[in-house]
Amino acid sequence: MNIRTVMNNRSGERNRAGARAGARGGKRAPAVASGSAPYRSRTRRLLERHRAALLLVALVSLSALLLPYRQVQSAASEMRTRGAPAVQGVAATQLALLRAHQEAEDSVADGIADVVGAGARYETQLAAADQGLTRLADVQIDGERGRGALETVNGLLTSYSASITPAVTKYVSNEPMREEKFAEADTLLTREGTGVVPRLDVLQGHQLERIDRLSSAGPFQRGAWVVAETGLLAMALITLSALWVLRTRCGHSLDLCLLVSLAATVFLAVVPLTATVVTLDRLDTARDGLVRIERLAQDHTDLARSQQKVTEESAQVRAGLAARDWQSGTYYGALAAGVTILLLPAIGLGRHLNADYRRQG
């Protein structure tokens, strides 16, 4: 009885021990069967981090790239449509007024005024000055201050005409009165600080300051380009890293979406920057040409020659600022490439995550 009891107890202990061992073995069996799950989970998280990083870097890079690029192109457009015509217009108007005054004096000295007044050349130059002032009202780039200056100039020119007209018509034979009227007209035209020509000089100085800002890349633009180029480099490296992960961990040799995104990244890093450098170089050349125009307008030794030189220099500036079709296309190409680097990495990596690492349950 005691022996049988002892044997039954030992048998029960072995059965319970076997049951516990079986139970422990049952817990370990699934872990052994799914031993690659942690590896697969780490790969999934790594690809998700690549996708998030690509989206974030793309957004930062595009913001830093497109804004300064658009600003430079807008500056070129303003220089072409308003800046250059405004500077050329002030120079041409000044020279036309001075030459008209000279022609009026010559008409009296040559005896033409006794018959036909100030003469055709005076009328031609005065008409050119009037047309120049009319155009300046539309293109001047000194804002409200410039509009005020032109209104004052127009008022002074009315007084100038009231003095010069009697000098070459009514008082042609009355030398004292004629000289007095010529002196009044000359004062209204050239008196320092308040004359027509000095006031136009002030307006021109303000316009050239604006031209200098338009033709130069400011600290913000340079900083934005550094951010954009650094971000695009990081984008390229992250894309290459994602391709490496897909190849080494997932067995995918190439992913078309990531390859196209990589090509678009290289395009964004090279083409818009090249277009900007070319545009800034053209703006710098145009600024130098406009400064030369201003210097020519200050040369009063031979007014006819100065007028001719201003016309020739203005033609060269306009040719240099002519719009380039490929640069306009670059902006829209950059927008398309930006959409590409935003969408394609998400599509490519998302497809692999859904196909290879879809979560169950």
Side-chain angles (χ1 to χ4, degrees), residues 93-132:
T93 300
Q94 288 176 313
L95 291 172
L97 286 171
L98 291 171
R99 190 174 175 191
H101 187 78
Q102 184 184 73
E103 294 294 345
E105 292 178 333
D106 291 344
S107 71
V108 173
D110 296 339
I112 298 175
D114 293 331
V115 181
V116 295
R121 287 181 292 186
Y122 165 82
E123 298 292 344
T124 299
Q125 294 300 322
L126 193 61
D130 287 338
Q131 291 175 0

PDB file of all heavy atoms in Angstrom, residues 93-132:
ATOM      1  N   THR A  93      14.712 112.827 -70.961  1.00  0.00           N
ATOM      2  CA  THR A  93      13.935 114.044 -70.715  1.00  0.00           C
ATOM      3  C   THR A  93      14.849 115.202 -70.332  1.00  0.00           C
ATOM      4  O   THR A  93      14.678 116.340 -70.809  1.00  0.00           O
ATOM      5  CB  THR A  93      12.898 113.789 -69.611  1.00  0.00           C
ATOM      6  OG1 THR A  93      12.012 112.743 -70.022  1.00  0.00           O
ATOM      7  CG2 THR A  93      12.095 115.042 -69.321  1.00  0.00           C
ATOM      8  N   GLN A  94      15.814 114.934 -69.456  1.00  0.00           N
ATOM      9  CA  GLN A  94      16.752 115.989 -69.072  1.00  0.00           C
ATOM     10  C   GLN A  94      17.491 116.535 -70.292  1.00  0.00           C
ATOM     11  O   GLN A  94      17.584 117.753 -70.491  1.00  0.00           O
ATOM     12  CB  GLN A  94      17.759 115.436 -68.065  1.00  0.00           C
ATOM     13  CG  GLN A  94      17.198 115.185 -66.685  1.00  0.00           C
ATOM     14  CD  GLN A  94      18.230 114.553 -65.768  1.00  0.00           C
ATOM     15  OE1 GLN A  94      18.913 113.598 -66.139  1.00  0.00           O
ATOM     16  NE2 GLN A  94      18.347 115.084 -64.567  1.00  0.00           N
ATOM     17  N   LEU A  95      18.025 115.646 -71.092  1.00  0.00           N
ATOM     18  CA  LEU A  95      18.791 116.083 -72.259  1.00  0.00           C
ATOM     19  C   LEU A  95      17.903 116.821 -73.262  1.00  0.00           C
ATOM     20  O   LEU A  95      18.328 117.806 -73.891  1.00  0.00           O
ATOM     21  CB  LEU A  95      19.461 114.885 -72.927  1.00  0.00           C
ATOM     22  CG  LEU A  95      20.592 114.235 -72.120  1.00  0.00           C
ATOM     23  CD1 LEU A  95      21.061 112.945 -72.788  1.00  0.00           C
ATOM     24  CD2 LEU A  95      21.769 115.201 -71.962  1.00  0.00           C
ATOM     25  N   ALA A  96      16.670 116.351 -73.443  1.00  0.00           N
ATOM     26  CA  ALA A  96      15.758 117.016 -74.382  1.00  0.00           C
ATOM     27  C   ALA A  96      15.429 118.430 -73.912  1.00  0.00           C
ATOM     28  O   ALA A  96      15.377 119.376 -74.721  1.00  0.00           O
ATOM     29  CB  ALA A  96      14.484 116.188 -74.536  1.00  0.00           C
ATOM     30  N   LEU A  97      15.206 118.617 -72.608  1.00  0.00           N
ATOM     31  CA  LEU A  97      14.906 119.952 -72.094  1.00  0.00           C
ATOM     32  C   LEU A  97      16.099 120.886 -72.256  1.00  0.00           C
ATOM     33  O   LEU A  97      15.942 122.052 -72.672  1.00  0.00           O
ATOM     34  CB  LEU A  97      14.513 119.853 -70.620  1.00  0.00           C
ATOM     35  CG  LEU A  97      13.126 119.286 -70.325  1.00  0.00           C
ATOM     36  CD1 LEU A  97      12.961 119.036 -68.831  1.00  0.00           C
ATOM     37  CD2 LEU A  97      12.032 120.223 -70.840  1.00  0.00           C
ATOM     38  N   LEU A  98      17.287 120.399 -71.920  1.00  0.00           N
ATOM     39  CA  LEU A  98      18.480 121.239 -72.051  1.00  0.00           C
ATOM     40  C   LEU A  98      18.749 121.588 -73.512  1.00  0.00           C
ATOM     41  O   LEU A  98      19.131 122.723 -73.838  1.00  0.00           O
ATOM     42  CB  LEU A  98      19.683 120.516 -71.442  1.00  0.00           C
ATOM     43  CG  LEU A  98      19.656 120.373 -69.916  1.00  0.00           C
ATOM     44  CD1 LEU A  98      20.770 119.444 -69.452  1.00  0.00           C
ATOM     45  CD2 LEU A  98      19.786 121.745 -69.247  1.00  0.00           C
ATOM     46  N   ARG A  99      18.535 120.614 -74.397  1.00  0.00           N
ATOM     47  CA  ARG A  99      18.777 120.898 -75.805  1.00  0.00           C
ATOM     48  C   ARG A  99      17.709 121.838 -76.365  1.00  0.00           C
ATOM     49  O   ARG A  99      18.005 122.692 -77.221  1.00  0.00           O
ATOM     50  CB  ARG A  99      18.814 119.605 -76.608  1.00  0.00           C
ATOM     51  CG  ARG A  99      19.304 119.847 -78.028  1.00  0.00           C
ATOM     52  CD  ARG A  99      19.494 118.578 -78.796  1.00  0.00           C
ATOM     53  NE  ARG A  99      19.858 118.878 -80.173  1.00  0.00           N
ATOM     54  CZ  ARG A  99      19.895 117.983 -81.155  1.00  0.00           C
ATOM     55  NH1 ARG A  99      19.599 116.706 -80.903  1.00  0.00           N
ATOM     56  NH2 ARG A  99      20.227 118.353 -82.367  1.00  0.00           N
ATOM     57  N   ALA A 100      16.460 121.698 -75.898  1.00  0.00           N
ATOM     58  CA  ALA A 100      15.413 122.622 -76.345  1.00  0.00           C
ATOM     59  C   ALA A 100      15.776 124.057 -75.949  1.00  0.00           C
ATOM     60  O   ALA A 100      15.606 125.002 -76.744  1.00  0.00           O
ATOM     61  CB  ALA A 100      14.081 122.218 -75.730  1.00  0.00           C
ATOM     62  N   HIS A 101      16.276 124.238 -74.725  1.00  0.00           N
ATOM     63  CA  HIS A 101      16.683 125.572 -74.278  1.00  0.00           C
ATOM     64  C   HIS A 101      17.836 126.084 -75.139  1.00  0.00           C
ATOM     65  O   HIS A 101      17.846 127.268 -75.529  1.00  0.00           O
ATOM     66  CB  HIS A 101      17.108 125.500 -72.811  1.00  0.00           C
ATOM     67  CG  HIS A 101      17.373 126.845 -72.209  1.00  0.00           C
ATOM     68  ND1 HIS A 101      16.372 127.686 -71.803  1.00  0.00           N
ATOM     69  CD2 HIS A 101      18.549 127.500 -71.961  1.00  0.00           C
ATOM     70  CE1 HIS A 101      16.889 128.804 -71.311  1.00  0.00           C
ATOM     71  NE2 HIS A 101      18.216 128.713 -71.395  1.00  0.00           N
ATOM     72  N   GLN A 102      18.770 125.191 -75.433  1.00  0.00           N
ATOM     73  CA  GLN A 102      19.898 125.583 -76.285  1.00  0.00           C
ATOM     74  C   GLN A 102      19.428 125.971 -77.682  1.00  0.00           C
ATOM     75  O   GLN A 102      19.902 126.963 -78.269  1.00  0.00           O
ATOM     76  CB  GLN A 102      20.900 124.432 -76.365  1.00  0.00           C
ATOM     77  CG  GLN A 102      22.169 124.753 -77.134  1.00  0.00           C
ATOM     78  CD  GLN A 102      23.075 123.546 -77.255  1.00  0.00           C
ATOM     79  OE1 GLN A 102      22.799 122.613 -78.009  1.00  0.00           O
ATOM     80  NE2 GLN A 102      24.144 123.546 -76.477  1.00  0.00           N
ATOM     81  N   GLU A 103      18.494 125.198 -78.222  1.00  0.00           N
ATOM     82  CA  GLU A 103      17.983 125.504 -79.566  1.00  0.00           C
ATOM     83  C   GLU A 103      17.232 126.841 -79.562  1.00  0.00           C
ATOM     84  O   GLU A 103      17.271 127.587 -80.565  1.00  0.00           O
ATOM     85  CB  GLU A 103      17.062 124.399 -80.047  1.00  0.00           C
ATOM     86  CG  GLU A 103      17.749 123.059 -80.283  1.00  0.00           C
ATOM     87  CD  GLU A 103      18.744 123.102 -81.428  1.00  0.00           C
ATOM     88  OE1 GLU A 103      18.719 124.069 -82.218  1.00  0.00           O
ATOM     89  OE2 GLU A 103      19.557 122.174 -81.543  1.00  0.00           O
ATOM     90  N   ALA A 104      16.535 127.161 -78.479  1.00  0.00           N
ATOM     91  CA  ALA A 104      15.846 128.447 -78.402  1.00  0.00           C
ATOM     92  C   ALA A 104      16.844 129.598 -78.415  1.00  0.00           C
ATOM     93  O   ALA A 104      16.638 130.616 -79.110  1.00  0.00           O
ATOM     94  CB  ALA A 104      14.987 128.499 -77.139  1.00  0.00           C
ATOM     95  N   GLU A 105      17.929 129.469 -77.672  1.00  0.00           N
ATOM     96  CA  GLU A 105      18.963 130.501 -77.676  1.00  0.00           C
ATOM     97  C   GLU A 105      19.603 130.621 -79.053  1.00  0.00           C
ATOM     98  O   GLU A 105      19.867 131.738 -79.542  1.00  0.00           O
ATOM     99  CB  GLU A 105      20.022 130.186 -76.618  1.00  0.00           C
ATOM    100  CG  GLU A 105      19.514 130.307 -75.185  1.00  0.00           C
ATOM    101  CD  GLU A 105      20.579 129.936 -74.170  1.00  0.00           C
ATOM    102  OE1 GLU A 105      21.479 129.125 -74.516  1.00  0.00           O
ATOM    103  OE2 GLU A 105      20.532 130.456 -73.043  1.00  0.00           O
ATOM    104  N   ASP A 106      19.868 129.462 -79.694  1.00  0.00           N
ATOM    105  CA  ASP A 106      20.486 129.490 -81.019  1.00  0.00           C
ATOM    106  C   ASP A 106      19.562 130.124 -82.054  1.00  0.00           C
ATOM    107  O   ASP A 106      20.026 130.786 -83.001  1.00  0.00           O
ATOM    108  CB  ASP A 106      20.860 128.076 -81.465  1.00  0.00           C
ATOM    109  CG  ASP A 106      22.000 127.491 -80.640  1.00  0.00           C
ATOM    110  OD1 ASP A 106      22.687 128.270 -79.948  1.00  0.00           O
ATOM    111  OD2 ASP A 106      22.188 126.254 -80.678  1.00  0.00           O
ATOM    112  N   SER A 107      18.261 129.910 -81.886  1.00  0.00           N
ATOM    113  CA  SER A 107      17.320 130.497 -82.854  1.00  0.00           C
ATOM    114  C   SER A 107      17.370 132.023 -82.820  1.00  0.00           C
ATOM    115  O   SER A 107      17.219 132.683 -83.851  1.00  0.00           O
ATOM    116  CB  SER A 107      15.900 129.999 -82.574  1.00  0.00           C
ATOM    117  OG  SER A 107      15.388 130.568 -81.378  1.00  0.00           O
ATOM    118  N   VAL A 108      17.565 132.593 -81.637  1.00  0.00           N
ATOM    119  CA  VAL A 108      17.682 134.040 -81.517  1.00  0.00           C
ATOM    120  C   VAL A 108      19.018 134.501 -82.087  1.00  0.00           C
ATOM    121  O   VAL A 108      19.098 135.489 -82.834  1.00  0.00           O
ATOM    122  CB  VAL A 108      17.530 134.472 -80.052  1.00  0.00           C
ATOM    123  CG1 VAL A 108      17.820 135.963 -79.898  1.00  0.00           C
ATOM    124  CG2 VAL A 108      16.137 134.156 -79.545  1.00  0.00           C
ATOM    125  N   ALA A 109      20.089 133.781 -81.737  1.00  0.00           N
ATOM    126  CA  ALA A 109      21.409 134.168 -82.229  1.00  0.00           C
ATOM    127  C   ALA A 109      21.496 134.083 -83.745  1.00  0.00           C
ATOM    128  O   ALA A 109      22.185 134.898 -84.386  1.00  0.00           O
ATOM    129  CB  ALA A 109      22.466 133.281 -81.591  1.00  0.00           C
ATOM    130  N   ASP A 110      20.802 133.092 -84.328  1.00  0.00           N
ATOM    131  CA  ASP A 110      20.855 132.909 -85.783  1.00  0.00           C
ATOM    132  C   ASP A 110      19.807 133.730 -86.527  1.00  0.00           C
ATOM    133  O   ASP A 110      19.713 133.661 -87.756  1.00  0.00           O
ATOM    134  CB  ASP A 110      20.663 131.429 -86.138  1.00  0.00           C
ATOM    135  CG  ASP A 110      21.786 130.570 -85.594  1.00  0.00           C
ATOM    136  OD1 ASP A 110      22.873 131.115 -85.307  1.00  0.00           O
ATOM    137  OD2 ASP A 110      21.570 129.336 -85.432  1.00  0.00           O
ATOM    138  N   GLY A 111      18.966 134.464 -85.804  1.00  0.00           N
ATOM    139  CA  GLY A 111      17.945 135.279 -86.441  1.00  0.00           C
ATOM    140  C   GLY A 111      16.712 134.510 -86.868  1.00  0.00           C
ATOM    141  O   GLY A 111      15.831 135.072 -87.526  1.00  0.00           O
ATOM    142  N   ILE A 112      16.616 133.229 -86.501  1.00  0.00           N
ATOM    143  CA  ILE A 112      15.452 132.428 -86.903  1.00  0.00           C
ATOM    144  C   ILE A 112      14.217 132.874 -86.143  1.00  0.00           C
ATOM    145  O   ILE A 112      13.104 132.890 -86.675  1.00  0.00           O
ATOM    146  CB  ILE A 112      15.740 130.938 -86.669  1.00  0.00           C
ATOM    147  CG1 ILE A 112      16.917 130.481 -87.522  1.00  0.00           C
ATOM    148  CG2 ILE A 112      14.512 130.087 -86.960  1.00  0.00           C
ATOM    149  CD1 ILE A 112      17.352 129.063 -87.261  1.00  0.00           C
ATOM    150  N   ALA A 113      14.404 133.283 -84.918  1.00  0.00           N
ATOM    151  CA  ALA A 113      13.259 133.642 -84.079  1.00  0.00           C
ATOM    152  C   ALA A 113      12.483 134.825 -84.646  1.00  0.00           C
ATOM    153  O   ALA A 113      11.290 134.981 -84.378  1.00  0.00           O
ATOM    154  CB  ALA A 113      13.733 133.960 -82.661  1.00  0.00           C
ATOM    155  N   ASP A 114      13.153 135.684 -85.418  1.00  0.00           N
ATOM    156  CA  ASP A 114      12.456 136.825 -85.998  1.00  0.00           C
ATOM    157  C   ASP A 114      11.359 136.388 -86.958  1.00  0.00           C
ATOM    158  O   ASP A 114      10.403 137.134 -87.200  1.00  0.00           O
ATOM    159  CB  ASP A 114      13.452 137.715 -86.754  1.00  0.00           C
ATOM    160  CG  ASP A 114      14.444 138.369 -85.808  1.00  0.00           C
ATOM    161  OD1 ASP A 114      14.070 138.593 -84.648  1.00  0.00           O
ATOM    162  OD2 ASP A 114      15.583 138.639 -86.236  1.00  0.00           O
ATOM    163  N   VAL A 115      11.500 135.158 -87.511  1.00  0.00           N
ATOM    164  CA  VAL A 115      10.564 134.689 -88.528  1.00  0.00           C
ATOM    165  C   VAL A 115       9.641 133.600 -88.005  1.00  0.00           C
ATOM    166  O   VAL A 115       8.421 133.655 -88.156  1.00  0.00           O
ATOM    167  CB  VAL A 115      11.334 134.184 -89.770  1.00  0.00           C
ATOM    168  CG1 VAL A 115      10.356 133.726 -90.851  1.00  0.00           C
ATOM    169  CG2 VAL A 115      12.258 135.269 -90.292  1.00  0.00           C
ATOM    170  N   VAL A 116      10.232 132.565 -87.366  1.00  0.00           N
ATOM    171  CA  VAL A 116       9.458 131.380 -86.995  1.00  0.00           C
ATOM    172  C   VAL A 116       9.489 131.081 -85.499  1.00  0.00           C
ATOM    173  O   VAL A 116       9.197 129.981 -85.080  1.00  0.00           O
ATOM    174  CB  VAL A 116       9.979 130.141 -87.772  1.00  0.00           C
ATOM    175  CG1 VAL A 116       9.734 130.306 -89.252  1.00  0.00           C
ATOM    176  CG2 VAL A 116      11.462 129.916 -87.474  1.00  0.00           C
ATOM    177  N   GLY A 117       9.850 132.052 -84.684  1.00  0.00           N
ATOM    178  CA  GLY A 117       9.900 131.791 -83.254  1.00  0.00           C
ATOM    179  C   GLY A 117      11.126 130.971 -82.875  1.00  0.00           C
ATOM    180  O   GLY A 117      12.221 131.180 -83.412  1.00  0.00           O
ATOM    181  N   ALA A 118      10.938 130.019 -81.958  1.00  0.00           N
ATOM    182  CA  ALA A 118      12.076 129.253 -81.454  1.00  0.00           C
ATOM    183  C   ALA A 118      12.614 128.253 -82.453  1.00  0.00           C
ATOM    184  O   ALA A 118      13.708 127.721 -82.266  1.00  0.00           O
ATOM    185  CB  ALA A 118      11.694 128.535 -80.168  1.00  0.00           C
ATOM    186  N   GLY A 119      11.887 127.927 -83.469  1.00  0.00           N
ATOM    187  CA  GLY A 119      12.383 127.012 -84.489  1.00  0.00           C
ATOM    188  C   GLY A 119      11.891 125.594 -84.301  1.00  0.00           C
ATOM    189  O   GLY A 119      11.436 125.199 -83.218  1.00  0.00           O
ATOM    190  N   ALA A 120      12.003 124.818 -85.390  1.00  0.00           N
ATOM    191  CA  ALA A 120      11.488 123.446 -85.395  1.00  0.00           C
ATOM    192  C   ALA A 120      12.252 122.547 -84.443  1.00  0.00           C
ATOM    193  O   ALA A 120      11.676 121.664 -83.798  1.00  0.00           O
ATOM    194  CB  ALA A 120      11.537 122.892 -86.815  1.00  0.00           C
ATOM    195  N   ARG A 121      13.565 122.742 -84.353  1.00  0.00           N
ATOM    196  CA  ARG A 121      14.350 121.861 -83.471  1.00  0.00           C
ATOM    197  C   ARG A 121      13.987 122.080 -82.008  1.00  0.00           C
ATOM    198  O   ARG A 121      13.962 121.135 -81.218  1.00  0.00           O
ATOM    199  CB  ARG A 121      15.834 122.092 -83.714  1.00  0.00           C
ATOM    200  CG  ARG A 121      16.338 121.518 -85.037  1.00  0.00           C
ATOM    201  CD  ARG A 121      17.808 121.726 -85.246  1.00  0.00           C
ATOM    202  NE  ARG A 121      18.116 123.140 -85.427  1.00  0.00           N
ATOM    203  CZ  ARG A 121      19.329 123.602 -85.742  1.00  0.00           C
ATOM    204  NH1 ARG A 121      20.348 122.761 -85.892  1.00  0.00           N
ATOM    205  NH2 ARG A 121      19.535 124.902 -85.899  1.00  0.00           N
ATOM    206  N   TYR A 122      13.722 123.325 -81.636  1.00  0.00           N
ATOM    207  CA  TYR A 122      13.250 123.594 -80.274  1.00  0.00           C
ATOM    208  C   TYR A 122      11.924 122.876 -80.015  1.00  0.00           C
ATOM    209  O   TYR A 122      11.753 122.215 -78.985  1.00  0.00           O
ATOM    210  CB  TYR A 122      13.091 125.100 -80.069  1.00  0.00           C
ATOM    211  CG  TYR A 122      12.270 125.457 -78.849  1.00  0.00           C
ATOM    212  CD1 TYR A 122      12.852 125.479 -77.583  1.00  0.00           C
ATOM    213  CD2 TYR A 122      10.915 125.771 -78.962  1.00  0.00           C
ATOM    214  CE1 TYR A 122      12.100 125.801 -76.461  1.00  0.00           C
ATOM    215  CE2 TYR A 122      10.157 126.092 -77.850  1.00  0.00           C
ATOM    216  CZ  TYR A 122      10.747 126.106 -76.600  1.00  0.00           C
ATOM    217  OH  TYR A 122      10.002 126.419 -75.484  1.00  0.00           O
ATOM    218  N   GLU A 123      10.986 123.004 -80.943  1.00  0.00           N
ATOM    219  CA  GLU A 123       9.688 122.364 -80.782  1.00  0.00           C
ATOM    220  C   GLU A 123       9.821 120.855 -80.707  1.00  0.00           C
ATOM    221  O   GLU A 123       9.139 120.192 -79.921  1.00  0.00           O
ATOM    222  CB  GLU A 123       8.769 122.754 -81.944  1.00  0.00           C
ATOM    223  CG  GLU A 123       8.461 124.237 -82.034  1.00  0.00           C
ATOM    224  CD  GLU A 123       7.601 124.728 -80.865  1.00  0.00           C
ATOM    225  OE1 GLU A 123       7.012 123.876 -80.172  1.00  0.00           O
ATOM    226  OE2 GLU A 123       7.552 125.953 -80.656  1.00  0.00           O
ATOM    227  N   THR A 124      10.715 120.300 -81.515  1.00  0.00           N
ATOM    228  CA  THR A 124      10.914 118.845 -81.515  1.00  0.00           C
ATOM    229  C   THR A 124      11.447 118.367 -80.169  1.00  0.00           C
ATOM    230  O   THR A 124      10.961 117.375 -79.604  1.00  0.00           O
ATOM    231  CB  THR A 124      11.887 118.444 -82.633  1.00  0.00           C
ATOM    232  OG1 THR A 124      11.334 118.826 -83.892  1.00  0.00           O
ATOM    233  CG2 THR A 124      12.139 116.939 -82.622  1.00  0.00           C
ATOM    234  N   GLN A 125      12.438 119.065 -79.645  1.00  0.00           N
ATOM    235  CA  GLN A 125      13.027 118.654 -78.373  1.00  0.00           C
ATOM    236  C   GLN A 125      12.044 118.842 -77.218  1.00  0.00           C
ATOM    237  O   GLN A 125      11.979 118.010 -76.313  1.00  0.00           O
ATOM    238  CB  GLN A 125      14.317 119.454 -78.112  1.00  0.00           C
ATOM    239  CG  GLN A 125      15.434 119.170 -79.092  1.00  0.00           C
ATOM    240  CD  GLN A 125      15.868 117.727 -79.087  1.00  0.00           C
ATOM    241  OE1 GLN A 125      15.929 117.072 -78.048  1.00  0.00           O
ATOM    242  NE2 GLN A 125      16.170 117.201 -80.277  1.00  0.00           N
ATOM    243  N   LEU A 126      11.277 119.937 -77.251  1.00  0.00           N
ATOM    244  CA  LEU A 126      10.307 120.156 -76.181  1.00  0.00           C
ATOM    245  C   LEU A 126       9.207 119.100 -76.227  1.00  0.00           C
ATOM    246  O   LEU A 126       8.748 118.618 -75.171  1.00  0.00           O
ATOM    247  CB  LEU A 126       9.706 121.553 -76.308  1.00  0.00           C
ATOM    248  CG  LEU A 126       8.905 122.035 -75.092  1.00  0.00           C
ATOM    249  CD1 LEU A 126       9.788 122.097 -73.851  1.00  0.00           C
ATOM    250  CD2 LEU A 126       8.278 123.394 -75.377  1.00  0.00           C
ATOM    251  N   ALA A 127       8.790 118.717 -77.434  1.00  0.00           N
ATOM    252  CA  ALA A 127       7.784 117.655 -77.562  1.00  0.00           C
ATOM    253  C   ALA A 127       8.333 116.328 -77.047  1.00  0.00           C
ATOM    254  O   ALA A 127       7.614 115.559 -76.382  1.00  0.00           O
ATOM    255  CB  ALA A 127       7.350 117.525 -79.019  1.00  0.00           C
ATOM    256  N   ALA A 128       9.626 116.050 -77.323  1.00  0.00           N
ATOM    257  CA  ALA A 128      10.241 114.818 -76.821  1.00  0.00           C
ATOM    258  C   ALA A 128      10.277 114.815 -75.292  1.00  0.00           C
ATOM    259  O   ALA A 128      10.051 113.782 -74.650  1.00  0.00           O
ATOM    260  CB  ALA A 128      11.650 114.674 -77.393  1.00  0.00           C
ATOM    261  N   ALA A 129      10.553 115.981 -74.706  1.00  0.00           N
ATOM    262  CA  ALA A 129      10.577 116.070 -73.244  1.00  0.00           C
ATOM    263  C   ALA A 129       9.183 115.839 -72.672  1.00  0.00           C
ATOM    264  O   ALA A 129       9.021 115.150 -71.654  1.00  0.00           O
ATOM    265  CB  ALA A 129      11.117 117.428 -72.818  1.00  0.00           C
ATOM    266  N   ASP A 130       8.156 116.421 -73.303  1.00  0.00           N
ATOM    267  CA  ASP A 130       6.774 116.219 -72.834  1.00  0.00           C
ATOM    268  C   ASP A 130       6.383 114.740 -72.904  1.00  0.00           C
ATOM    269  O   ASP A 130       5.765 114.199 -71.978  1.00  0.00           O
ATOM    270  CB  ASP A 130       5.813 117.052 -73.681  1.00  0.00           C
ATOM    271  CG  ASP A 130       5.906 118.535 -73.359  1.00  0.00           C
ATOM    272  OD1 ASP A 130       6.372 118.864 -72.251  1.00  0.00           O
ATOM    273  OD2 ASP A 130       5.530 119.353 -74.226  1.00  0.00           O
ATOM    274  N   GLN A 131       6.746 114.091 -74.006  1.00  0.00           N
ATOM    275  CA  GLN A 131       6.437 112.663 -74.135  1.00  0.00           C
ATOM    276  C   GLN A 131       7.180 111.839 -73.083  1.00  0.00           C
ATOM    277  O   GLN A 131       6.625 110.888 -72.520  1.00  0.00           O
ATOM    278  CB  GLN A 131       6.807 112.188 -75.537  1.00  0.00           C
ATOM    279  CG  GLN A 131       5.924 112.752 -76.633  1.00  0.00           C
ATOM    280  CD  GLN A 131       6.393 112.355 -78.011  1.00  0.00           C
ATOM    281  OE1 GLN A 131       7.395 111.641 -78.168  1.00  0.00           O
ATOM    282  NE2 GLN A 131       5.687 112.825 -79.036  1.00  0.00           N
ATOM    283  N   GLY A 132       8.433 112.220 -72.829  1.00  0.00           N
ATOM    284  CA  GLY A 132       9.207 111.516 -71.822  1.00  0.00           C
ATOM    285  C   GLY A 132       8.590 111.622 -70.439  1.00  0.00           C
ATOM    286  O   GLY A 132       8.512 110.637 -69.694  1.00  0.00           O
TER     287      GLY A 132
END
